[in-house]
Amino acid sequence: MQIKVKEDCFYKSDKYIDLDAIFSLIKERQHAWIDIDLEELSKTLWYQELGKRDKDDLKRFTIASTRKIKNKLTINISEDNVSPNTFNIIEAKIYLKQPLSILVENSQYETPFINSIIRNFDFESEINYAKEEGWLVYENLGGGNNNAIEGKINESFNHPFLTKDKSEYLRTFVIKDSDREYCSISEDGSTVSQQQLPPHKISYFKERNIPYHIWYKREKENYIPNSVYINYETDNVKKEYVKAYLRLNNHQMDFLDIEKGFSYFDKESNIVKVKDRNELKPEIKKLYCNISEDDYKILGLGFSVKYQNFKVNFSNEFATVSRDDMLSRINHQTRINSIHDEVERNEFDHIIHEIKRLL
């Protein structure tokens, strides 16, 4: 993250300890100080009380401070200027010391997927370095709800010098499953429309100005490349499902419930059954209308009947997939236009860009 420290901060001697704490974060490279006016700083008591090593560091930071990163989030620090984009010194210290929390629905299952995106799409390894330094952590969102965020808001940021709404002090990026069940494809196949998300899916984040991303596909399993499935074609247990799955088109793969298929638990017979096609939502029925009855029954029972400990083990398949394999599952998707720089990116590049902006 980039910070601008207004000159008024350096004339508040009672806040020098807090300024020193922020300066320590700069020295450790967790954040970058931009637009440093060393000539003005050298007139302050804060600068005069610095040791030689700190002064040498500050000179180097001053030179680097002119090289701002356009798309990096920047915060202002001031004791006098109260505005939505500005923190006082103590607010800034508390805010900046936090690691960036990547909040996912289940960190055990989601982490291999996010790590694979980072490994294959962050060429500078900035995010991985932040993870190693403890500046970025994964946390559980609390399933489909937002319990973890509510907990942070309710239990944190109680210092008397914190004057803003508590949600403004969060350093989080939320990534959630879309739970979309289908897309709509035009008759000529030229356009694809996403299933609209229910308002409650994103309203919580919009109301609190919390950065978030909702996956285009149903959930993370829908991003597993075909190369992983191909490796199972010789597996006697899995091959029947795999062959049926590989006959699907990209859009059908995107929204299939890979774990459970089209199944339900029949309480009377106490067994899992596949729904009759006519019981499906019309949009789902239309999306999968061209698959054979045999494939429908195989896919309908879900992959979890063939794959032990599906949720844990299938997620680990992301550990070795290549960039090209991952791209093969999203190349057909519409690119995302970032609201921060209006640049269109594929979904994985978009994720990398958004995380780096917040670091």
Side-chain angles (χ1 to χ4, degrees):
M1 187 173 291
Q2 296 177 148
I3 64 171
K4 290 183 180 180
V5 188
K6 303 296 184 182
E7 292 174 13
D8 61 80
C9 294
F10 299 97
Y11 294 94
K12 304 286 185 180
S13 58
D14 60 325
K15 301 290 188 353
Y16 280 178
I17 292 176
D18 301 299
L19 273 175
D20 290 343
I22 294 172
F23 189 41
S24 293
L25 300 177
I26 305 300
K27 290 187 289 184
E28 292 172 7
R29 302 293 200 276
Q30 184 171 355
H31 304 291
W33 188 353
I34 61 174
D35 295 339
I36 301 174
D37 188 338
L38 187 57
E39 183 177 350
E40 287 300 316
L41 272 182
S42 63
K43 300 174 184 177
T44 68
L45 179 61
W46 178 82
Y47 176 86
Q48 293 164 17
E49 291 181 345
L50 293 176
K52 181 180 182 306
R53 188 178 300 168
D54 283 343
K55 289 180 179 178
D56 289 342
D57 284 339
L58 190 52
K59 288 178 184 177
R60 289 189 293 104
F61 296 150
T62 300
I63 296 170
S65 74
T66 60
R67 298 193 294 270
K68 297 181 281 293
I69 300 175
K70 182 179 178 181
N71 296 319
K72 210 68 154 166
L73 180 62
T74 301
I75 67 163
N76 299 312
I77 305 175
S78 173
E79 286 291 289
D80 296 337
N81 180 16
V82 179
S83 72
N85 300 329
T86 304
F87 288 166
N88 64 43
I89 294 171
I90 293 177
E91 286 177 323
K93 180 189 73 171
I94 292 172
Y95 178 74
L96 294 168
K97 284 177 71 175
Q98 297 175 80
L100 174 64
S101 294
I102 308 298
L103 284 158
V104 292
E105 293 185 22
N106 187 304
S107 59
Q108 181 183 7
Y109 304 151
E110 310 289 336
T111 297
F113 179 33
I114 309 296
N115 283 344
S116 185
I117 296 173
I118 293 169
R119 174 170 52 84
N120 285 300
F121 293 86
D122 178 17
F123 299 122
E124 294 83 16
S125 297
E126 178 185 349
I127 299 174
N128 197 56
Y129 180 74
K131 284 172 55 186
E132 292 172 348
E133 292 293 318
W135 303 338
L136 181 147
V137 296
Y138 295 117
E139 290 189 78
N140 283 321
L141 187 60
N145 55 43
N146 305 301
N147 291 342
I149 297 178
E150 280 298 306
K152 280 178 175 288
I153 291 174
N154 292 333
E155 299 301 326
S156 306
F157 316 122
N158 294 313
H159 193 288
F161 278 77
L162 301 185
T163 60
K164 302 181 183 349
D165 184 275
K166 285 187 175 185
S167 62
E168 293 189 42
Y169 301 114
L170 290 170
R171 289 199 65 214
T172 59
F173 183 57
V174 176
I175 304 178
K176 294 191 74 170
D177 292 340
S178 72
D179 299 319
R180 292 187 176 101
E181 299 174 299
Y182 60 86
C183 64
S184 299
I185 306 170
S186 63
E187 292 300 325
D188 62 1
S190 61
T191 60
V192 178
S193 302
Q194 295 181 349
Q195 178 187 359
Q196 292 298 306
L197 295 171
H200 69 81
K201 192 87 175 178
I202 56 177
S203 59
Y204 180 91
F205 310 119
K206 285 188 171 183
E207 290 165 5
R208 292 160 180 79
N209 200 29
I210 296 171
Y212 68 92
H213 178 76
I214 307 295
W215 293 121
Y216 169 83
K217 304 182 194 300
R218 185 178 190 129
E219 51 192 344
K220 71 177 186 312
E221 288 90 354
N222 300 89
Y223 290 86
I224 289 282
N226 288 1
S227 58
V228 171
Y229 288 95
I230 291 170
N231 289 334
Y232 292 140
E233 284 190 311
T234 57
D235 186 314
N236 288 329
V237 175
K238 300 181 179 69
K239 66 180 181 181
E240 185 183 47
Y241 181 94
V242 166
K243 288 180 178 180
Y245 175 83
L246 292 174
R247 283 191 281 267
L248 299 174
N249 63 43
N250 279 323
H251 305 297
Q252 292 167 335
M253 291 176 178
D254 286 347
F255 303 105
L256 178 68
D257 187 337
I258 295 172
E259 180 184 11
K260 298 177 181 177
F262 308 107
S263 66
Y264 69 99
F265 183 73
D266 183 17
K267 294 181 179 179
E268 289 186 10
S269 61
N270 203 35
I271 61 173
V272 173
K273 292 183 177 180
V274 178
K275 292 179 181 178
D276 185 278
R277 287 190 195 234
N278 292 323
E279 296 176 359
L280 300 176
K281 293 179 182 178
E283 298 89 348
I284 301 174
K285 181 181 177 181
K286 183 177 181 180
L287 181 61
Y288 297 97
C289 66
N290 67 333
I291 67 174
S292 70
E293 193 61 29
D294 286 342
D295 281 0
Y296 177 77
K297 290 177 180 177
I298 292 167
L299 296 169
L301 282 174
F303 200 20
S304 59
V305 300
K306 304 286 187 179
Y307 199 117
Q308 286 190 335
N309 299 316
F310 175 83
K311 275 295 183 184
V312 176
N313 293 334
F314 199 51
S315 300
N316 291 333
E317 299 289 359
F318 284 109
T320 57
V321 298
S322 70
R323 173 182 168 84
D324 286 344
D325 283 342
M326 295 191 73
L327 283 172
S328 71
R329 283 299 297 123
I330 64 169
N331 279 334
H332 63 285
Q333 294 176 200
T334 303
R335 294 167 73 84
I336 299 172
N337 193 339
S338 172
I339 62 173
H340 303 298
D341 61 7
E342 298 185 348
V343 173
E344 287 188 351
R345 298 178 176 86
N346 69 51
E347 189 171 20
F348 295 150
D349 285 333
H350 175 76
I351 289 287
I352 295 298
H353 175 267
E354 293 300 294
I355 293 175
K356 284 186 173 184
R357 176 180 172 272
L358 297 170
L359 271 178

